[in-house]
Amino acid sequence: MKVFLDGTENGSEWRVKLVPELDRMGIDYFDPTVLARSKRSHEEEIDQKNQSDFHLYLITPLMDDFENISELIEDSNKNPQKTIFSFMEQEQQLTFNEHQVKSLKRVGEMVEKNGGVWCRSNVDLLSFFSSKL
């Protein structure tokens, strides 16, 4: 199994915390944050997405734009069997406000309605991956 790790960048540490768990389970992954932004890396990113069994979008309060949300919804429509969504309400002293959490829950509901998976916690996320091994 291979997972494409998409979602909040901008100094977010969720990948650093998730990767050891994926390694422990023997799950391969691709982290697009390691690529320099160039035409070649964009092509590699597309190839890696296509080669991945799952495409994880993990959103945290460090997000600085909405590009990942639009990509998530597009993927949940076009590739629901590969799409996983999760969010963390708090990271590095930042917290989503009540309205933002409500909006992210609606995004999760939309992903599920489209046939994708919404993991409501890191425990749910790891359980989902374990169930697919």
Side-chain angles (χ1 to χ4, degrees):
M1 178 187 343
K2 184 173 183 177
V3 180
F4 187 92
L5 304 178
D6 213 339
T8 302
E9 294 180 16
N10 200 28
S12 179
E13 296 177 355
W14 69 264
R15 289 172 181 83
V16 173
K17 296 174 183 175
L18 180 62
V19 162
E21 294 297 326
L22 297 177
D23 286 339
R24 184 183 60 75
M25 290 189 274
I27 297 173
D28 192 16
Y29 58 87
F30 180 77
D31 179 358
T33 64
V34 301
L35 296 175
R37 297 293 176 202
S38 69
K39 184 176 181 180
R40 186 174 192 282
S41 66
H42 180 69
E43 291 168 0
E44 182 178 351
E45 185 172 326
I46 290 169
D47 288 343
Q48 292 290 335
K49 279 183 184 180
N50 291 334
Q51 294 170 23
S52 295
D53 300 298
F54 296 103
H55 193 173
L56 171 63
Y57 291 89
L58 200 149
I59 305 300
T60 81
L62 290 171
M63 69 181 255
D64 60 352
D65 62 39
F66 296 97
E67 181 179 0
N68 287 130
I69 300 294
S70 62
E71 289 176 359
L72 163 67
I73 297 304
E74 181 178 27
D75 269 358
S76 75
N77 278 308
K78 293 181 178 176
N79 299 300
Q81 71 285 356
K82 288 183 156 194
T83 305
I84 306 167
F85 169 65
S86 190
F87 71 91
M88 296 168 42
E89 288 187 35
Q90 182 176 359
E91 186 183 23
Q92 298 180 20
Q93 311 298 322
L94 293 176
T95 304
F96 284 124
N97 67 39
E98 183 179 331
H99 178 72
Q100 291 167 324
V101 169
K102 184 178 177 181
S103 296
L104 288 165
K105 287 179 178 178
R106 294 283 293 137
V107 167
E109 291 167 0
M110 189 180 305
V111 168
E112 285 183 327
K113 184 178 177 183
N114 291 341
V117 173
W118 173 24
C119 293
R120 289 159 177 82
S121 70
N122 287 343
V123 171
D124 286 349
L125 185 59
L126 295 175
S127 292
F128 172 79
F129 288 136
S130 279
S131 75
K132 298 301 179 185
L133 294 175

